[in-house]
Amino acid sequence: MLRTVFRNFESLKHLYPIMSTTLDYRNKIILAPMVRIGTLPMRLLALEYGADLVYSPEIVDKKMIVSERQFDEKTGIISYLDNKNSVAFTTHPIEKSKLIFQIGTADPDLALQAALKVKQDVAGIDVNCGCPKKFSIQGGMGAALLSNPDKLKAILINLVQNCGLPVTCKIRMLSTKEKTIELCKMIESTGVKAIAIHCRTRDERPKDPGHWDIFNDIVENIKSIPIIANGDVFQRSDIIRLRELSNVSSIMIARAAEENVSIFRQEGTLPLEDVVISYIKKALEVGNSWPNTKYALMQMYAVHSKEPKYKLLVHTKSYEELCKIYGLETFFEKANLTGRLTKTGKNLNKFDGSNKLENTSNNKRKHIEYQSEVENIKIKKSKMIDEKNDQYSTINVNNIQ
């Protein structure tokens, strides 16, 4: 059971899971990667309700590479701040053994650098090959990789061979069953530990019905690794039905979890307001940014827009105003005492300079280890190039990007 309060970091040390590179993706119910939704409070709540694994939102490789790791000793919260001092990614060691970090990438080397940057804080790495949104497609990331299998293969092989963590890949269907199976076989050959498949094509949207029939065909052809099914799972009964129809190993839930994350409870979902209150408390405990918290709450009420408290929520401008709506004034005051929030509750995760890992000997050691690992990979690549190009007697390792 996850602890619900992170104020005393020392008291939580005995709960920290140990990193394992033998992560099991079979027979799991999983929180899908969701941009702006799958931040720390949502992931922690999903785990408390029964999720077996949780995925981070997609984080672009370049954003992670330039980020600085910061650690709050009082709460145990780890934040990666990019070069604009905005939070790129936040986590806590309590979720480490169940957290899969999803990378948005179009480059094998950048993907690896991002994975190495975050590997000490996560259990696995996933490559996003399914996002159909414009910003991903234009950058050659997400669903754009579906039409560039050679590049996708290079990314996955580089990660599998060099990042030191289990690697997975999340894709969408291609235009035909045969093409989808062919792609899955290629991905399987790279050494990934699982494939997650959204049962829609790149051009289909949530309003279009998912194609559950594709899962059985894929399971029949991909034997060595688990297949994770994603799409149109709206209630607990859908999990049972989908497994019976397709024999898929694991189920990944997105929209249903966005609306009511208690879908992971075996006992059944809780009333929306109970979940909302739990989410607000979790967001306060981890100092989640106010804009992100409000956005997530608005999505929870997306199909409940006639609720009286939704109309009040729309006009809130701070945690303080929000807590008055739900009778959480005392909880808000306690959160203020931890120093995680300003009086208005608007601050992002701010840290005192003394807590920066780069100012500690521990960070220097980790920085050296990171640089050493990157350099070893460059040397390994140079040897491979040297073997293939006998006409070159030497390779300038520093020029290998």
Side-chain angles (χ1 to χ4, degrees):
M1 177 64 69
L2 292 171
R3 292 287 292 271
T4 57
V5 179
F6 303 127
R7 299 191 185 103
N8 188 342
F9 173 62
E10 292 297 322
S11 69
L12 292 175
K13 283 186 175 180
H14 70 286
L15 293 177
Y16 288 176
I18 298 173
M19 175 71 74
S20 171
T21 57
T22 58
L23 188 63
D24 185 7
Y25 289 88
R26 298 183 186 277
N27 301 313
K28 298 294 188 291
I29 309 298
I30 303 168
L31 177 69
M34 292 182 285
V35 174
R36 298 184 69 185
I37 294 296
T39 48
L40 182 58
M42 183 64 78
R43 297 196 307 268
L44 293 178
L45 205 54
L47 289 171
E48 287 190 4
Y49 286 141
D52 297 303
L53 297 173
V54 292
Y55 278 56
S56 77
E58 175 197 24
I59 311 292
V60 176
D61 51 17
K62 293 178 182 178
K63 189 177 184 72
M64 278 306 298
I65 291 168
V66 300
S67 293
E68 173 189 313
R69 185 181 188 272
Q70 295 189 352
F71 174 64
D72 188 322
E73 292 184 355
K74 292 181 179 179
T75 64
I77 292 173
I78 299 158
S79 290
Y80 287 80
L81 274 66
D82 65 19
N83 52 1
K84 296 180 181 179
N85 205 38
S86 64
V87 177
F89 174 60
T90 305
T91 183
H92 189 282
I94 209 165
E95 66 171 347
K96 181 177 177 180
S97 68
K98 299 177 181 292
L99 174 60
I100 313 303
F101 183 82
Q102 188 181 71
I103 299 174
T105 187
D107 182 275
D109 291 325
L110 294 180
L112 180 58
Q113 289 181 52
L116 293 177
K117 192 69 174 281
V118 77
K119 75 176 281 188
Q120 63 186 303
D121 297 317
V122 302
I125 300 295
D126 182 77
V127 176
N128 183 349
C129 304
C131 181
K133 294 185 178 179
K134 187 176 180 180
F135 82 91
S136 280
I137 300 296
Q138 286 183 332
M141 302 179 293
L145 289 172
L146 297 176
S147 56
N148 197 340
D150 290 340
K151 179 177 285 186
L152 172 57
K153 185 175 183 179
I155 291 169
L156 293 175
I157 289 175
N158 200 29
L159 286 169
V160 168
Q161 293 182 353
N162 298 303
C163 83
L165 290 176
V167 177
T168 58
C169 182
K170 186 173 187 291
I171 68 171
R172 280 180 172 247
M173 290 172 51
L174 297 184
S175 57
T176 67
K177 176 182 71 176
E178 291 74 21
K179 289 180 180 179
T180 303
I181 292 171
E182 182 181 358
L183 177 65
C184 289
K185 286 182 176 179
M186 182 279 287
I187 294 171
E188 180 186 27
S189 73
T190 66
V192 298
K193 299 300 183 184
I195 306 173
I197 300 158
H198 184 83
C199 59
R200 290 180 177 83
T201 65
R202 166 177 163 170
D203 296 326
E204 290 179 321
R205 293 297 177 263
K207 65 180 180 179
D208 301 311
H211 308 282
W212 276 12
D213 55 304
I214 192 67
F215 294 129
N216 191 58
D217 293 319
I218 294 172
V219 170
E220 287 296 315
N221 285 274
I222 306 299
K223 301 292 188 179
S224 68
I225 55 176
I227 297 300
I228 304 170
N230 175 221
D232 286 7
V233 174
F234 299 116
Q235 51 196 357
R236 294 290 302 190
S237 60
D238 290 335
I239 296 173
I240 299 170
R241 190 161 60 92
L242 179 52
R243 279 179 165 159
E244 290 176 346
L245 287 172
S246 64
N247 291 316
V248 292
S249 177
S250 297
I251 309 292
M252 179 177 279
I253 305 175
R255 282 182 292 160
E258 177 180 272
E259 294 173 7
N260 190 326
V261 69
S262 70
I263 190 173
F264 292 104
R265 295 179 77 248
Q266 291 186 6
E267 305 86 348
T269 56
L270 296 170
L272 176 62
E273 186 164 326
D274 291 355
V275 177
V276 166
I277 289 173
S278 294
Y279 178 83
I280 294 170
K281 288 181 176 180
K282 193 68 65 183
L284 285 167
E285 289 163 1
V286 302
N288 196 51
S289 74
W290 163 247
N292 180 255
T293 294
K294 182 174 180 178
Y295 176 82
L297 291 171
M298 296 286 285
Q299 304 314 303
M300 292 183 199
Y301 276 104
V303 295
H304 303 279
S305 58
K306 294 184 179 180
E307 291 287 332
K309 288 184 179 178
Y310 169 76
K311 297 177 181 179
L312 297 174
L313 169 65
V314 170
H315 299 290
T316 56
K317 297 180 180 179
S318 70
Y319 273 116
E320 188 170 16
E321 293 179 8
L322 176 68
C323 288
K324 288 179 180 178
I325 295 174
Y326 292 93
L328 296 173
E329 294 92 338
T330 300
F331 200 94
F332 173 76
E333 291 302 322
K334 289 181 179 178
N336 263 345
L337 292 176
T338 69
R340 299 294 299 163
L341 301 169
T342 62
K343 289 184 179 179
T344 58
K346 287 185 178 180
N347 70 311
L348 301 178
N349 290 304
K350 295 181 179 179
F351 295 83
D352 183 87
S354 62
N355 285 334
K356 292 182 180 180
L357 257 66
E358 70 172 6
N359 295 331
T360 67
S361 59
N362 184 49
N363 180 67
K364 290 179 180 178
R365 175 181 61 78
K366 290 186 179 297
H367 179 71
I368 291 170
E369 290 175 353
Y370 170 71
Q371 293 299 328
S372 175
E373 194 160 3
V374 171
E375 197 63 29
N376 286 338
I377 292 165
K378 288 182 178 180
I379 292 170
K380 181 179 177 181
K381 286 189 175 184
S382 74
K383 290 179 179 178
M384 293 173 63
I385 294 172
D386 199 24
E387 291 172 359
K388 293 180 180 179
N389 300 277
D390 293 333
Q391 68 270 30
Y392 294 105
S393 58
T394 60
I395 297 293
N396 186 346
V397 176
N398 292 327
N399 287 334
I400 299 175
Q401 299 299 319

Coordinates of all heavy atoms in Angstrom, one line a residue, residues 17-59:
P17 N 10.9 0.6 -3.2 CA 11.1 -0.6 -4.0 C 12.5 -0.6 -4.6 O 13.1 0.5 -4.9 CB 10.1 -0.6 -5.1 CG 9.7 0.8 -5.3 CD 9.9 1.5 -3.9
I18 N 13.1 -1.8 -4.8 CA 14.5 -1.9 -5.4 C 14.3 -2.0 -6.9 O 13.5 -2.8 -7.4 CB 15.2 -3.1 -4.8 CG1 15.4 -2.9 -3.3 CG2 16.6 -3.3 -5.5 CD1 16.0 -4.1 -2.6
M19 N 15.2 -1.3 -7.6 CA 15.1 -1.3 -9.1 C 15.3 -2.8 -9.6 O 16.2 -3.5 -9.1 CB 16.2 -0.4 -9.6 CG 16.3 -0.5 -11.1 SD 14.9 0.2 -12.0 CE 15.3 2.0 -11.7
S20 N 14.6 -3.2 -10.5 CA 14.7 -4.5 -11.1 C 14.7 -4.4 -12.6 O 13.9 -3.7 -13.2 CB 13.6 -5.4 -10.6 OG 13.6 -6.6 -11.4
T21 N 15.6 -5.1 -13.3 CA 15.6 -5.1 -14.7 C 14.8 -6.3 -15.3 O 14.9 -6.5 -16.5 CB 17.0 -5.1 -15.3 OG1 17.7 -6.2 -14.7 CG2 17.8 -3.8 -14.9
T22 N 14.1 -7.0 -14.4 CA 13.3 -8.1 -14.9 C 11.8 -7.8 -14.7 O 11.1 -8.7 -14.2 CB 13.7 -9.4 -14.1 OG1 13.6 -9.2 -12.7 CG2 15.2 -9.8 -14.4
L23 N 11.5 -6.7 -15.1 CA 10.1 -6.2 -14.9 C 9.1 -7.1 -15.7 O 9.4 -7.4 -16.9 CB 9.9 -4.8 -15.4 CG 8.6 -4.1 -15.2 CD1 8.3 -3.9 -13.7 CD2 8.6 -2.7 -15.9
D24 N 8.1 -7.6 -15.1 CA 7.1 -8.5 -15.7 C 5.9 -7.7 -16.2 O 5.2 -7.1 -15.5 CB 6.7 -9.6 -14.7 CG 5.8 -10.6 -15.3 OD1 5.7 -10.6 -16.6 OD2 5.3 -11.5 -14.6
Y25 N 5.7 -7.9 -17.5 CA 4.5 -7.1 -18.1 C 3.3 -8.0 -18.3 O 2.3 -7.6 -18.9 CB 5.0 -6.6 -19.5 CG 5.9 -5.4 -19.4 CD1 7.3 -5.6 -19.4 CD2 5.5 -4.1 -19.4 CE1 8.2 -4.6 -19.3 CE2 6.3 -3.0 -19.3 CZ 7.7 -3.3 -19.2 OH 8.6 -2.2 -19.2
R26 N 3.4 -9.3 -17.9 CA 2.3 -10.2 -18.1 C 1.2 -10.0 -17.0 O 1.5 -9.7 -15.8 CB 2.8 -11.6 -18.1 CG 3.8 -11.9 -19.2 CD 4.2 -13.4 -19.2 NE 5.2 -13.6 -20.2 CZ 5.0 -13.8 -21.5 NH1 3.8 -13.8 -21.9 NH2 6.0 -13.9 -22.3
N27 N -0.1 -10.2 -17.4 CA -1.2 -10.2 -16.5 C -1.3 -8.9 -15.7 O -1.4 -8.9 -14.4 CB -1.2 -11.4 -15.6 CG -1.2 -12.7 -16.4 OD1 -2.0 -12.8 -17.3 ND2 -0.3 -13.6 -16.1
K28 N -1.1 -7.8 -16.3 CA -1.1 -6.5 -15.7 C -2.3 -5.6 -16.1 O -2.7 -5.7 -17.3 CB 0.2 -5.8 -15.9 CG 1.4 -6.5 -15.4 CD 1.4 -6.5 -13.9 CE 2.8 -7.1 -13.4 NZ 3.0 -8.5 -13.6
I29 N -2.8 -4.8 -15.2 CA -3.7 -3.7 -15.5 C -2.9 -2.4 -15.4 O -2.4 -2.1 -14.3 CB -4.9 -3.7 -14.6 CG1 -5.6 -5.1 -14.6 CG2 -6.0 -2.7 -15.1 CD1 -6.1 -5.6 -15.9
I30 N -2.9 -1.6 -16.5 CA -1.9 -0.5 -16.6 C -2.5 0.8 -16.8 O -3.4 0.9 -17.7 CB -0.9 -0.9 -17.7 CG1 -0.2 -2.3 -17.5 CG2 0.2 0.2 -17.8 CD1 0.5 -2.8 -18.7
L31 N -2.0 1.8 -16.2 CA -2.4 3.2 -16.5 C -1.6 3.7 -17.7 O -0.4 3.6 -17.8 CB -2.1 4.2 -15.3 CG -2.4 5.7 -15.6 CD1 -3.9 5.9 -15.7 CD2 -1.7 6.5 -14.5
A32 N -2.3 4.0 -18.8 CA -1.7 4.4 -20.1 C -1.0 5.7 -20.0 O -1.3 6.6 -19.1 CB -2.8 4.5 -21.1
P33 N 0.0 6.0 -20.9 CA 0.6 7.3 -20.9 C -0.4 8.3 -21.4 O -1.0 8.1 -22.5 CB 1.8 7.1 -21.9 CG 1.4 5.9 -22.7 CD 0.5 5.0 -21.9
M34 N -0.6 9.4 -20.7 CA -1.5 10.5 -21.1 C -0.9 11.8 -20.8 O -0.6 12.2 -19.7 CB -2.8 10.3 -20.4 CG -3.6 9.1 -20.8 SD -5.2 9.0 -19.9 CE -4.7 8.5 -18.3
V35 N -0.7 12.6 -21.9 CA -0.1 13.9 -21.8 C -0.9 14.8 -20.8 O -2.2 14.9 -21.0 CB 0.0 14.6 -23.1 CG1 0.5 16.0 -23.0 CG2 1.0 13.8 -24.0
R36 N -0.3 15.4 -19.9 CA -0.9 16.4 -18.9 C -1.8 15.7 -17.8 O -2.1 16.3 -16.8 CB -1.7 17.5 -19.6 CG -0.9 18.4 -20.5 CD -1.7 19.5 -21.0 NE -2.1 20.5 -20.0 CZ -2.9 21.5 -20.2 NH1 -3.4 21.7 -21.4 NH2 -3.2 22.3 -19.2
I37 N -2.2 14.4 -18.1 CA -3.0 13.7 -17.1 C -2.2 12.8 -16.2 O -2.4 12.7 -15.0 CB -4.1 12.9 -17.9 CG1 -5.0 13.8 -18.6 CG2 -4.8 12.0 -16.9 CD1 -5.9 14.7 -17.7
G38 N -1.2 12.1 -16.8 CA -0.5 11.0 -16.1 C 0.7 11.6 -15.3 O 1.7 10.9 -15.2
T39 N 0.5 12.7 -14.7 CA 1.5 13.3 -13.8 C 1.5 12.6 -12.4 O 0.7 11.7 -12.2 CB 1.3 14.8 -13.6 OG1 0.0 15.1 -13.3 CG2 1.7 15.5 -14.9
L40 N 2.4 12.9 -11.6 CA 2.7 12.2 -10.3 C 1.4 11.9 -9.5 O 1.2 10.8 -9.1 CB 3.7 12.9 -9.5 CG 4.1 12.3 -8.2 CD1 4.6 10.9 -8.4 CD2 5.2 13.1 -7.4
P41 N 0.5 12.9 -9.2 CA -0.6 12.6 -8.4 C -1.6 11.6 -9.0 O -2.1 10.7 -8.3 CB -1.3 13.9 -8.2 CG -0.8 14.8 -9.2 CD 0.6 14.4 -9.5
M42 N -1.8 11.6 -10.3 CA -2.6 10.6 -10.9 C -2.0 9.2 -10.9 O -2.7 8.2 -10.6 CB -2.9 11.0 -12.4 CG -3.9 10.1 -13.1 SD -5.5 10.1 -12.4 CE -6.2 11.6 -13.1
R43 N -0.7 9.1 -11.1 CA 0.0 7.8 -11.1 C -0.1 7.2 -9.7 O -0.4 6.0 -9.5 CB 1.4 8.0 -11.5 CG 1.6 8.5 -13.0 CD 3.0 8.2 -13.5 NE 4.0 8.7 -12.7 CZ 4.6 9.9 -12.8 NH1 4.2 10.8 -13.8 NH2 5.6 10.3 -12.0
L44 N 0.2 8.0 -8.7 CA 0.1 7.5 -7.3 C -1.3 7.1 -6.9 O -1.4 6.0 -6.3 CB 0.6 8.6 -6.3 CG 2.1 9.0 -6.4 CD1 2.4 10.1 -5.4 CD2 3.0 7.8 -6.2
L45 N -2.3 7.8 -7.3 CA -3.7 7.4 -7.0 C -4.0 6.1 -7.8 O -4.7 5.2 -7.2 CB -4.6 8.6 -7.4 CG -5.9 8.6 -6.7 CD1 -5.7 8.6 -5.2 CD2 -6.7 9.9 -7.1
A46 N -3.6 6.0 -9.0 CA -3.9 4.8 -9.8 C -3.2 3.6 -9.1 O -3.9 2.5 -9.0 CB -3.3 4.9 -11.2
L47 N -2.0 3.7 -8.6 CA -1.4 2.6 -7.9 C -2.1 2.3 -6.6 O -2.3 1.1 -6.2 CB 0.1 3.0 -7.6 CG 1.0 3.0 -8.8 CD1 2.4 3.6 -8.4 CD2 1.2 1.6 -9.4
E48 N -2.6 3.3 -5.9 CA -3.3 3.0 -4.6 C -4.6 2.3 -4.9 O -5.1 1.4 -4.2 CB -3.6 4.3 -3.9 CG -2.4 4.9 -3.2 CD -2.8 6.1 -2.3 OE1 -4.0 6.4 -2.2 OE2 -1.8 6.7 -1.8
Y49 N -5.2 2.6 -6.1 CA -6.5 1.9 -6.4 C -6.3 0.5 -7.0 O -7.3 -0.2 -7.2 CB -7.3 2.8 -7.4 CG -7.9 4.0 -6.8 CD1 -8.0 5.2 -7.4 CD2 -8.5 3.9 -5.5 CE1 -8.6 6.3 -6.9 CE2 -9.2 5.0 -4.9 CZ -9.2 6.2 -5.6 OH -9.8 7.3 -5.0
G50 N -5.1 0.2 -7.4 CA -4.8 -1.2 -7.8 C -4.1 -1.4 -9.1 O -3.9 -2.5 -9.6
A51 N -3.7 -0.3 -9.8 CA -3.0 -0.4 -11.1 C -1.7 -1.2 -10.8 O -1.0 -1.0 -9.8 CB -2.7 0.9 -11.7
D52 N -1.3 -2.0 -11.7 CA -0.1 -2.8 -11.6 C 1.2 -2.0 -12.0 O 2.3 -2.2 -11.5 CB -0.2 -4.1 -12.3 CG -1.3 -5.0 -11.8 OD1 -1.2 -5.3 -10.6 OD2 -2.2 -5.4 -12.6
L53 N 1.0 -1.3 -13.1 CA 2.0 -0.4 -13.7 C 1.5 0.9 -14.1 O 0.3 1.0 -14.4 CB 2.7 -1.1 -14.9 CG 3.4 -2.4 -14.7 CD1 3.8 -3.0 -16.1 CD2 4.6 -2.3 -13.8
V54 N 2.3 1.9 -14.1 CA 1.8 3.3 -14.5 C 2.9 3.8 -15.5 O 4.1 3.7 -15.3 CB 1.6 4.2 -13.4 CG1 0.4 3.8 -12.5 CG2 2.9 4.3 -12.5
Y55 N 2.4 4.4 -16.6 CA 3.3 5.1 -17.5 C 3.3 6.6 -17.3 O 2.2 7.2 -17.0 CB 2.8 4.8 -19.0 CG 3.2 3.5 -19.5 CD1 2.9 2.3 -18.9 CD2 3.8 3.4 -20.7 CE1 3.2 1.0 -19.4 CE2 4.2 2.2 -21.3 CZ 3.9 1.0 -20.6 OH 4.3 -0.2 -21.1
S56 N 4.4 7.2 -17.5 CA 4.5 8.6 -17.5 C 3.9 9.2 -18.8 O 3.7 8.5 -19.7 CB 6.0 9.1 -17.4 OG 6.6 9.0 -18.7
P57 N 3.5 10.5 -18.8 CA 3.2 11.1 -20.0 C 4.4 11.1 -21.0 O 5.5 10.9 -20.5 CB 2.9 12.6 -19.7 CG 2.7 12.6 -18.2 CD 3.5 11.4 -17.7
E58 N 4.2 11.2 -22.3 CA 5.3 11.2 -23.2 C 6.1 12.5 -22.9 O 5.6 13.6 -22.8 CB 4.8 11.3 -24.6 CG 5.9 11.5 -25.7 CD 5.3 12.0 -27.0 OE1 4.3 12.6 -27.0 OE2 6.0 11.7 -28.0
I59 N 7.4 12.3 -22.8 CA 8.4 13.4 -22.6 C 9.4 13.3 -23.8 O 10.0 12.3 -24.0 CB 9.2 13.2 -21.3 CG1 8.2 13.0 -20.1 CG2 10.0 14.5 -21.0 CD1 7.3 14.1 -19.7

